[in-house]
Amino acid sequence: MGTTGEDFDVVVVGSGAGGLTAALAAGVAGLKAVVVEKTELFGGTSALSGGNVWAPNAPEFQRVGQKEDPEHVLDYLVKIAGDDVSTERLRRYVDEVPKMMELLESRHEAFEKRFIWAEDYSDYHPDQGGNPRGRGLWPPVVDKRRLGDDAQYLRGGKVRLPGAPKATWMTGIDLHDLIALRWGGLRGWKPVVRLAGRTVVTWVKRSDMATGGQALVARLYLALKQIGVPVWRNTPMQALVTDEGGRVIGVHVVRDGRPMRLTVRGGVILATGGFDHNAEMRHRYHPLIDHTWSAGSPDNTGDGIVAGEQVGAALELMDDAWWMPVMHLPNAFPLQVLERSYPGQFIVNSAGRRFVNEAAPYTDFVHVQLENHAAGVSHIPVFMITDDRAWKRNVIAFRLPGRKMPSDWLDSGLVSKADTLEELAAKIGVPPATLAETAERYNRFARAGRDDDFSRGESAYDNYYGDDSYPNPNLAPVDKPPFIAFRLLPGDLGTKGGLLTDSDARVLRMDGSVIHGLYATGNTSASIMGHDYAGPGATLGPAMTFGYVAANHIAAALRSAD
Ligand SMILES: Cc1cc2nc3c(=O)[nH]c(=O)nc-3n(C[C@H](O)[C@H](O)[C@H](O)COP(=O)(O)OP(=O)(O)OC[C@H]3O[C@@H](n4cnc5c(N)ncnc54)[C@H](O)[C@@H]3O)c2cc1C
């Protein structure tokens, strides 16, 4: 079978939010572009995600009166990431993210509804200049039927509470409101009524709603369709093509089983996600981690990173990831964003001791977990210790409060239950006397509403998913048997190390020189967040923004060459 070919201005590799935004910017700039996607499904991890986009000064923030001094935003980024990332790249992000969001909004047919401010979903470090009111935007929901036949190829699915009717759908805001309800009737049942009403309407109209990251990807895909930029599914990139001077001039792909060489006049934009599920790379860079704990898209195997490395690219931040504690349940690893903020739980290592502010931002939590593990005390897994009161009051692992615990949780030995803390300690293999001592100290702090060891509950971020019926929304005693222990593992939302890029998203060599014709964004590139995470949406925001930057850089270069 011979190789066929086709010429483009831009080839975008990968159909997550980074790739689709790059292709949109290229198409709007009048370039001949194509997106090649390895799998049958488009959307990558982006379509599995919450879809929150960290976008300070986006048009929506201007409309809701949350305009900020860009220097203030930059100062925050420099503080949290400046040791590892150039100020130039950070400044570029601050300057370009509002323009990228403007581009989306300008595609009226696909983005006919406004993005929604995740109000009070605080930046992750309000103590370092982060905004406690939040800089994240949720994408507006969309009926997938608008995608026509292509809807079946959109990756991802609905967030559903067990037992909820099929037609029920939830946004990030609904989830927050439902959790805050606490089933104690304290806040009224408004969110439940809202969900019930919506379920009926959805059922009557036979709608098929996409929310979160699926909605973001669906809308980007619609925008591409409207300007005629194709997305070729089942088309994995195999390798980059370079000329004798080292410039990237195309890609080898296999399209529906047939080898093809795509030649580019402008450049190739790599947006293939991270190496989340490349077992060999994970073992090399993250020896303590099992890739099955990652919530990243199963087909993200570092292809863009490997291809870039083969043409001489420098790699950075390979030891890091968008870490996320996950609960170890039979056949499931639910993310632990909410539960760690609830009062009425504390988390211990194998020595039975607390080691961190449980409610800390997820990536920080795992950083401490891994550092402590390396120091000699096992922190894989760690144990969330909770009690009957908290179980009956909170949504835990997507189960409504107080519902019977699934028998396989206990039968598998992954979740343990006991009438005393000492008994529980014996079941999970931590020293009983130490666990009792830890509980006693924690309960003292909880009753006083102040955590003298780890300052839990003192940040607006901690409080967001807390329970404000307590004086400290993140602290309540753990003293009502039976006690329960959940195992938590260091999972992730995807990896964050990859190809080193400059402020134009161009890929660099070790000596700092540019590999002409090659661009990278999203988790294929070394993150502009360095080892940190600015706030909700701080992975999608940069992925989309530097996709946009790359496409515009190519457009400008082609214009000046013509
Ligand atoms: C449950 C969950 C919730 C999250 N919530 C948020 C959130 O609310 N906000 C936020 O900012 N981040 C969130 N994240 C993280 C975020 O989703 C990712 O960091 C982001 O989607 C990465 O985008 P990307 O464009 O780099 O890659 P992806 O979206 O993963 O896209 C990469 C695409 O490239 C394709 N590909 C791979 N190899 C090849 C190849 N050889 N040829 C062609 N195509 C290839 C893949 O199949 C995939 O479709 C969440 C993640 C998870 C798992």
Side-chain angles (χ1 to χ4, degrees):
M1 194 162 38
T3 302
T4 59
E6 199 167 329
D7 299 340
F8 292 92
D9 293 324
V10 182
V11 172
V12 178
V13 190
S15 68
L20 295 182
T21 307
L24 181 64
V28 169
L31 304 185
K32 183 183 176 197
V34 65
V35 179
V36 294
E37 164 56 49
K38 171 183 187 175
T39 70
E40 192 190 20
L41 305 176
F42 62 92
T45 305
S46 306
L48 303 173
S49 78
N52 204 316
V53 183
W54 197 73
N57 282 325
E60 182 60 14
F61 284 120
Q62 320 247 1
R63 285 191 290 265
V64 297
Q66 293 291 313
K67 193 168 177 330
E68 295 183 83
D69 178 354
E71 290 303 317
H72 190 70
V73 181
L74 180 64
D75 284 351
Y76 173 52
L77 288 178
V78 170
K79 227 176 247 167
I80 64 167
D83 287 349
D84 304 295
V85 180
S86 73
T87 305
E88 207 188 346
R89 281 176 78 201
L90 296 173
R91 184 179 289 284
R92 197 66 191 279
Y93 180 61
V94 175
D95 290 346
E96 298 288 333
V97 66
K99 298 183 205 159
M100 181 277 292
M101 293 301 288
E102 254 170 59
L103 171 78
L104 267 48
E105 288 200 1
S106 74
R107 314 317 299 166
H108 302 296
E109 286 177 46
F111 287 91
E112 81 292 353
K113 287 194 179 148
R114 285 161 62 168
F115 276 80
I116 301 148
W117 177 24
E119 196 173 347
D120 295 333
Y121 196 173
S122 169
D123 277 349
Y124 293 170
H125 306 286
D127 54 326
Q128 294 184 59
N131 186 340
R133 304 285 335 264
R135 291 162 169 152
L137 293 172
W138 297 112
V141 300
V142 63
D143 191 338
K144 282 191 256 180
R145 291 178 305 176
R146 283 171 62 186
L147 294 171
D149 285 347
D150 293 344
Q152 63 188 303
Y153 302 116
L154 172 59
R155 196 182 280 279
K158 288 193 187 74
V159 176
R160 280 186 59 207
L161 294 170
K166 237 177 136 182
T168 307
W169 50 270
M170 285 199 308
T171 64
I173 295 173
D174 296 323
L175 186 61
H176 176 261
D177 290 355
L178 270 180
I179 283 158
L181 178 68
R182 308 279 170 198
W183 263 247
L186 289 176
R187 297 187 187 226
W189 286 73
K190 231 164 104 186
V192 176
V193 173
R194 183 167 77 216
L195 246 62
R198 177 195 287 166
T199 301
V200 172
V201 173
T202 305
W203 184 77
V204 170
K205 289 189 172 170
R206 297 278 181 268
S207 317
D208 185 8
M209 302 307 288
T211 64
Q214 242 206 347
L216 180 67
V217 167
R219 287 187 182 277
L220 285 166
Y221 189 84
L222 280 174
L224 283 183
K225 240 179 157 176
Q226 278 148 11
I227 58 170
V229 174
V231 177
W232 291 354
R233 295 177 292 99
N234 294 313
T235 308
M237 170 196 65
Q238 307 286 71
L240 295 164
V241 183
T242 50
D243 66 13
E244 50 297 344
R247 182 187 178 89
V248 171
I249 53 165
V251 285
H252 288 296
V253 300
V254 175
R255 186 173 186 205
D256 292 326
R258 289 179 42 167
M260 274 185 93
R261 176 181 153 137
L262 310 181
T263 307
V264 289
R265 217 163 61 90
V268 173
I269 304 175
L270 295 174
T272 60
F275 56 101
D276 324 346
H277 292 286
N278 181 322
E280 187 279 316
M281 285 175 84
R282 289 306 294 249
H283 183 68
R284 186 165 10 133
Y285 294 109
H286 306 152
L288 297 173
I289 305 299
D290 183 325
H291 75 93
T292 60
W293 305 340
S294 173
S297 178
D299 301 293
N300 286 3
T301 49
D303 301 7
I305 299 172
V306 171
E309 214 182 353
Q310 281 166 353
V311 299
L315 305 185
E316 274 199 355
L317 301 175
M318 294 298 282
D319 61 336
D320 216 334
W322 303 105
W323 299 118
M324 165 68 72
V326 293
M327 192 176 269
H328 193 181
L329 294 178
N331 307 315
F333 296 100
L335 310 184
Q336 294 302 293
V337 183
L338 324 172
E339 291 86 340
R340 290 179 301 107
S341 293
Y342 297 163
Q345 53 75 25
F346 60 89
I347 298 176
V348 297
N349 58 21
S350 64
R353 299 202 186 280
R354 291 179 72 207
F355 58 95
V356 70
N357 165 10
E358 288 82 351
Y362 29 94
T363 289
D364 296 354
F365 180 99
V366 177
H367 278 151
V368 178
Q369 185 180 1
L370 295 178
E371 273 161 30
N372 288 6
H373 187 84
V377 175
S378 172
H379 283 65
I380 303 177
V382 289
F383 303 92
M384 179 184 279
I385 310 294
T386 188
D387 68 359
D388 195 53
R389 188 185 303 113
W391 172 253
K392 291 203 169 120
R393 193 168 165 76
N394 295 298
V395 174
I396 295 181
F398 284 106
R399 301 203 72 77
L400 293 181
R403 284 171 68 112
K404 194 170 173 295
M405 186 174 284
S407 53
D408 61 336
W409 287 17
L410 294 170
D411 295 347
S412 64
L414 295 172
V415 179
S416 308
K417 208 172 183 181
D419 285 331
T420 66
L421 282 167
E422 287 76 6
E423 236 182 280
L424 190 72
K427 283 189 173 175
I428 62 177
V430 309
T434 317
L435 186 67
E437 199 182 290
T438 300
E440 198 274 318
R441 186 173 171 83
Y442 165 81
N443 284 339
R444 202 156 13 98
F445 294 155
R447 289 189 190 102
R450 210 181 73 179
D451 174 10
D452 286 343
D453 286 342
F454 299 106
S455 306
R456 176 164 142 197
E458 285 175 25
S459 141
Y461 172 74
D462 295 3
N463 300 161
Y464 185 68
Y465 286 116
D467 181 344
D468 58 18
S469 58
Y470 288 93
N472 179 327
N474 304 99
L475 291 178
V478 175
D479 57 5
K480 188 166 186 306
F483 299 100
I484 308 166
F486 293 101
R487 282 158 172 73
L488 305 193
L489 295 165
D492 60 70
L493 303 176
T495 55
K496 64 149 64 168
L499 308 177
L500 179 62
T501 53
D502 69 4
S503 60
D504 290 318
R506 295 180 301 180
V507 175
L508 302 176
R509 298 188 182 86
M510 285 288 276
D511 63 5
S513 63
V514 169
I515 302 179
H516 292 288
L518 187 62
Y519 298 75
T521 193
N523 292 345
T524 307
S525 58
S527 170
I528 65 147
M529 293 290 153
H531 290 289
D532 219 306
Y533 202 134
T539 87
L540 286 169
M544 295 165 73
T545 301
F546 284 101
Y548 167 86
V549 165
N552 285 336
H553 190 267
I554 294 171
L558 287 176
R559 266 195 308 271
S560 63
D562 283 343

